[in-house]
Amino acid sequence: MLACLTGTPLLMAQLVYGSGLRLQECCQLRVKDVDFDRGELRVRRGKGDRDRVTVLPAAVGVPLRAHLACVRAVMGRRAARGGGFVALPGALDRKIPRASQQWG
């Protein structure tokens, strides 16, 4: 099945398969949840509303870095035009103004 995928769907499938993530957990990953140095992913508010740490598959490291670099460039271009906002969980947008425009 993985051989039939390309791009972001392939990256997500590799994350789900290699680290035991559920699909929704993979969709909700944030930049700050990925630790390349330690090879870990932090899953926040997963099943049972619990946080957990799982492994970052080695095969995903390089493609994930490349994907994040592209996303960061897109976010920078949007921010230059007055956009670039992302959705934040809970009341984080009220607690930390401008957090929706920061990379981390």
Side-chain angles (χ1 to χ4, degrees):
M1 181 178 96
L2 293 178
C4 297
L5 299 173
T6 60
T8 304
L10 174 61
L11 184 60
M12 290 178 69
Q14 289 174 326
L15 279 169
V16 167
Y17 180 76
S19 59
L21 295 176
R22 293 170 180 86
L23 183 59
Q24 191 64 27
E25 292 171 344
C26 184
C27 292
Q28 293 176 344
L29 276 178
R30 299 185 297 181
V31 173
K32 67 186 237 170
D33 295 335
V34 180
D35 188 345
F36 289 104
D37 297 331
R38 296 180 67 176
E40 294 178 347
L41 294 173
R42 179 164 305 278
V43 179
R44 299 180 189 276
R45 300 182 63 191
K47 187 174 181 179
D49 203 25
R50 295 183 181 211
D51 294 353
R52 64 186 169 96
V53 177
T54 187
V55 65
L56 175 65
V60 179
V62 173
L64 184 57
R65 285 180 195 264
H67 175 74
L68 291 177
C70 290
V71 171
R72 189 173 194 166
V74 169
M75 187 176 172
R77 287 194 300 272
R78 288 181 181 170
R81 293 188 309 234
F85 296 93
V86 296
L88 295 174
L92 198 57
D93 56 340
R94 284 183 290 146
K95 293 177 183 176
I96 307 171
R98 302 188 52 83
S100 64
Q101 296 173 317
Q102 296 173 356
W103 176 245

